[in-house]
């Protein structure tokens, strides 16, 4: 579903694409494009991620591109539980999802009473 902040982001991306396409007569079917209107490849996304991580002075061993998937599963688990966290990464079982969830000290819990 495209709603909430994701819907806002898609609207922003479409506006960006219209602006660059009007100037350069470039049209790409891909949602994510670079400053020239050309589709972002997996390598381009990884390079940008690596650059952002370096600019934030975060060691590669501490946070990698693949960690985004586990972070998303963890946030969904915190909000709605493991069953809901199972769908976005496409896991067949809750057990597989549980291996991706990052259980950390300070996890939010609700009082019993």
């Amino acid at each position: 579903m495209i709603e909430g902040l994701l819907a806002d982001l898609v609207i922003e991306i479409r506006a960006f694409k219209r602006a660059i396409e009007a100037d350069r007569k470039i049209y790409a079917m891909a949602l994510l494009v670079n400053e020239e209107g050309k589709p972002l490849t997996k390598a381009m996304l990884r390079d940008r991620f690596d650059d952002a991580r370096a600019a934030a002075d975060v060691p590669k061993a501490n946070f990698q591109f693949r960690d985004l998937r586990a972070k998303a599963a963890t946030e969904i688990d915190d909000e709605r539980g493991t069953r809901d966290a199972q769908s976005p990464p496409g896991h067949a079982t809750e057990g597989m999802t549980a291996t991706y969830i990052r259980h950390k000290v300070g996890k939010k819990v609700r009082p019993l009473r």
Side-chain angles (χ1 to χ4, degrees):
M1 295 176 16
I2 300 176
E3 61 185 19
L5 293 174
L6 178 58
D8 295 342
L9 178 61
V10 170
I11 290 167
E12 185 179 335
I13 290 170
R14 286 180 174 162
F16 170 77
K17 286 180 66 178
R18 277 193 299 277
I20 61 174
E21 289 161 1
D23 291 342
R24 297 188 173 93
K25 304 281 190 235
I26 295 174
Y27 180 77
M29 293 296 293
L31 180 62
L32 300 179
V33 297
N34 66 12
E35 295 80 1
E36 297 171 358
K38 297 178 181 175
L40 283 177
T41 65
K42 183 179 177 181
M44 291 169 147
L45 285 171
R46 177 170 296 286
D47 288 344
R48 287 168 186 245
F49 180 86
D50 290 346
D51 291 346
R53 183 184 52 225
D57 199 29
V58 174
K60 185 174 183 176
N62 290 0
F63 193 68
Q64 298 177 31
F65 193 72
R66 66 179 185 213
D67 291 325
L68 294 175
R69 185 175 179 189
K71 181 173 180 8
T74 301
E75 288 189 12
I76 294 169
D77 177 60
D78 286 346
E79 293 285 323
R80 301 188 308 254
T82 307
R83 185 174 297 271
D84 282 349
Q86 180 180 336
S87 289
H91 295 151
T93 66
E94 286 184 52
M96 181 56 144
T97 303
T99 64
Y100 277 85
I101 294 171
R102 307 288 196 242
H103 293 288
K104 53 200 174 292
V105 174
K107 184 174 180 173
K108 295 177 191 174
V109 296
R110 294 178 187 232
L112 297 174
R113 299 177 192 226

